Amino acid sequence: MLGWVITCHDEHAQEMADKLAVRFGPLVQCQVVNFWRGLSVNMLSRMLCDAQHQVDSGDGVIFLTDISGAAPYRAAALLSHKHDNCEVISGIGYPLLEMMYPLREMTDSIGFRDTIVARGAPEVSSLWHQQQKNPPFVLLHSVEKY
């Protein structure tokens, strides 16, 4: 099963998790990280790292964030590059999470990423989708060593 780390500004992540728990019961392999005003980005990164390790069963982890490019998204993006099967999604809201919750057991991280982005478009995107728009810099010729 895919692990979820829901991370948003203020109490929004906890509110969504609470609603999911009412609908589906106790949330297995799901952690909440609220980004409160005054919390340092370093502390946020540490909290996300801990949450990632707690929810990862080896099938993959999905970071669910509220705003693309904001601190929770950026911190999750940095963590995702260090682990296989890790995706970062932005623009999430409760109705979409409710729709996607059952898919955690039925799909891999890439399938989940593509499905949530398709169902949530145009508000929802992923780190991978953003990287496809702006691919990394690649040298077109080799550099000679002296």
Side-chain angles (χ1 to χ4, degrees), residues 14-27:
Q14 189 63 55
E15 289 172 352
M16 285 189 274
D18 290 345
K19 287 180 183 178
L20 286 170
V22 168
R23 171 83 167 82
F24 296 104
L27 303 180

Side-chain angles (χ1 to χ4, degrees), residues 44-53 63 73-84 86 88:
L44 173 65
S45 295
R46 295 173 116 194
M47 293 165 65
L48 288 175
C49 184
D50 289 345
Q52 180 182 25
H53 287 290
F63 286 100
Y73 178 88
R74 290 190 319 268
L78 290 172
L79 286 173
S80 73
H81 291 296
K82 298 177 185 176
H83 299 277
D84 293 333
C86 190
V88 182

Side-chain angles (χ1 to χ4, degrees), residues 6 8-17 32 34 36 66 92:
I6 305 171
C8 302
H9 291 80
D10 302 320
E11 70 281 346
H12 299 297
Q14 189 63 55
E15 289 172 352
M16 285 189 274
V32 172
N34 292 305
W36 298 102
D66 53 353
I92 56 110

Side-chain angles (χ1 to χ4, degrees), residues 109-125:
S109 59
I110 294 170
F112 187 91
R113 175 198 71 208
D114 292 341
T115 302
I116 195 170
V117 169
R119 290 184 180 177
E123 294 85 14
V124 177
S125 188

